[in-house]
Amino acid sequence: MKLAFSTNAYTKCSLLEALEGIRRAGFRGVEILADVPHAYPPQIDDALTRSVGQTLDRLSLEVSNINCNCSFGYWKDAPPEPYFEPSLISPNPSHRADRAAMILRALQFAKDVGARNISITSGRLLGGMPPDKAARQFAQSIRPVLDRADALGIDLGIECEPGLFLEYLAELHEWIDRLGHPRLGANLDIGHSQVIGESIPDEIEKLRGRIWNLHVEDIPGRKHYHMIPGEGTLDWPALKTALKKIGYDRFLTVELYTHTDNPQQAAEKSYNFLRPGFGS
């Protein structure tokens, strides 16, 4: 297993500064936030791609994932909870088209910087988009995205999250079977599984061979708050056993968007906790 850290803890820094800090903390992998202020898809250009690629090479950093879950950069006057909008199941067709375009751009960026996968979410069930209609729309919206991912050789991981259309891993597993696409898998956030009461070892087993990236953080009980590994109640030995059982050899990516005030300290503490048990 390999360890990475997400740049979404470093949103008070530039992307290149974040890469430097993450490598300095000891990590050999990095997840790049596909949003402001780092790599917002509509603003990705050749200059950014080139500078990121050169910095990754110089620091000997691999990209664990391109995190295309949220789009704060989309909104000039943000609604109360813009985190997952626009989405592939937005009631507004133009919002759906804009989200699809952002995902396609993120896929190309992933290819250009050497990432094997990107992550997205399903979005929320908003007014005018009840579950049955959302299911039809999700199937329609995601197929061309998956086709493009396949053409580029990039895996697409869905991240389940409490309150979203796809919030339970059992639902994601059903969609993987339903769509039957080899590029569709999970960006598995273990903290989310703890929050909604899933058995993390059982879900890891069920998703064997379809986990493209693992988001890790600690959790206080079943409250959805991302904590530095080792400071919450997550059962880390059970996680390690479950991952070894399925032969997981991709990245464990620490996601601590809650620690933007001191991301360097959070990164260093996370690395020091995870390194002895999970690799480098």
Side-chain angles (χ1 to χ4, degrees):
M1 290 176 275
K2 299 179 286 186
L3 300 178
F5 196 88
S6 180
T7 70
N8 66 5
Y10 286 82
T11 52
K12 295 181 180 180
C13 307
S14 71
L15 175 53
L16 299 187
E17 289 171 337
L19 299 181
E20 295 275 1
I22 289 167
R23 184 66 186 93
R24 192 163 60 249
F27 290 95
R28 295 186 179 275
V30 60
E31 175 184 82
I32 297 176
L33 176 65
D35 201 352
V36 293
H38 292 163
Y40 179 50
Q43 297 173 358
I44 295 172
D45 57 17
D46 290 343
L48 176 67
T49 302
R50 184 168 53 253
S51 64
V52 169
Q54 291 171 347
T55 303
L56 292 170
D57 288 343
R58 176 172 59 81
L59 297 175
S60 297
L61 273 174
E62 293 183 68
V63 181
S64 69
N65 185 50
I66 302 297
N67 186 332
C68 199
N69 292 356
C70 301
S71 295
F72 284 92
Y74 184 81
W75 302 100
K76 292 182 180 177
D77 296 305
E81 291 191 9
Y83 310 113
F84 303 105
E85 286 296 318
S87 78
L88 294 177
I89 59 169
S90 296
N92 186 321
S94 67
H95 287 179
R96 294 197 300 269
D98 288 345
R99 169 55 85 178
M102 285 188 277
I103 295 171
L104 295 176
R105 186 65 187 92
L107 283 168
Q108 183 62 56
F109 181 63
K111 179 72 172 180
D112 293 340
V113 299
R116 298 173 66 183
N117 42 270
I118 76 166
S119 64
I120 67 170
T121 72
S122 62
R124 296 184 185 277
L125 295 172
L126 301 179
M129 192 59 70
D132 289 349
K133 184 177 179 181
R136 293 191 297 272
Q137 186 58 62
F138 184 70
Q140 178 181 329
S141 295
I142 202 168
R143 283 194 176 100
V145 170
L146 286 168
D147 289 343
R148 182 57 179 162
D150 197 32
L152 290 171
I154 303 296
D155 293 327
L156 183 72
I158 303 290
E159 183 167 331
C160 294
E161 179 140 357
L164 299 190
F165 172 55
L166 296 183
E167 58 181 330
Y168 295 99
L169 290 172
E171 296 173 312
L172 175 56
H173 200 279
E174 290 173 1
W175 274 97
I176 291 172
D177 289 343
R178 174 178 173 177
L179 294 174
H181 199 288
R183 292 292 176 184
L184 182 61
N187 188 78
L188 175 54
D189 191 305
I190 58 169
H192 297 169
S193 290
Q194 176 163 312
V195 169
I196 61 178
E198 293 176 325
S199 167
I200 294 172
D202 288 350
E203 297 303 333
I204 286 173
E205 174 62 38
K206 291 174 185 175
L207 288 167
R208 179 194 292 258
R210 289 290 182 139
I211 304 172
W212 307 145
N213 181 50
L214 199 76
H215 272 176
V216 297
E217 68 275 340
D218 226 324
I219 293 288
R222 289 180 61 180
K223 291 292 184 183
H224 187 194
Y225 189 85
H226 288 214
M227 301 176 69
I228 293 170
E231 296 185 358
T233 64
L234 195 85
D235 189 343
W236 294 97
L239 173 65
K240 179 180 177 181
T241 298
L243 293 173
K244 284 195 169 185
K245 183 178 178 182
I246 68 166
Y248 183 74
D249 60 359
R250 292 202 183 196
F251 279 98
L252 278 74
T253 300
V254 181
E255 191 193 29
L256 292 177
Y257 59 84
T258 48
H259 286 67
T260 57
D261 285 343
N262 197 338
Q264 194 62 33
Q265 181 185 66
E268 290 169 3
K269 284 185 175 181
S270 298
Y271 184 78
N272 290 337
F273 177 82
L274 293 171
R275 172 64 182 89
F278 290 91
S280 60

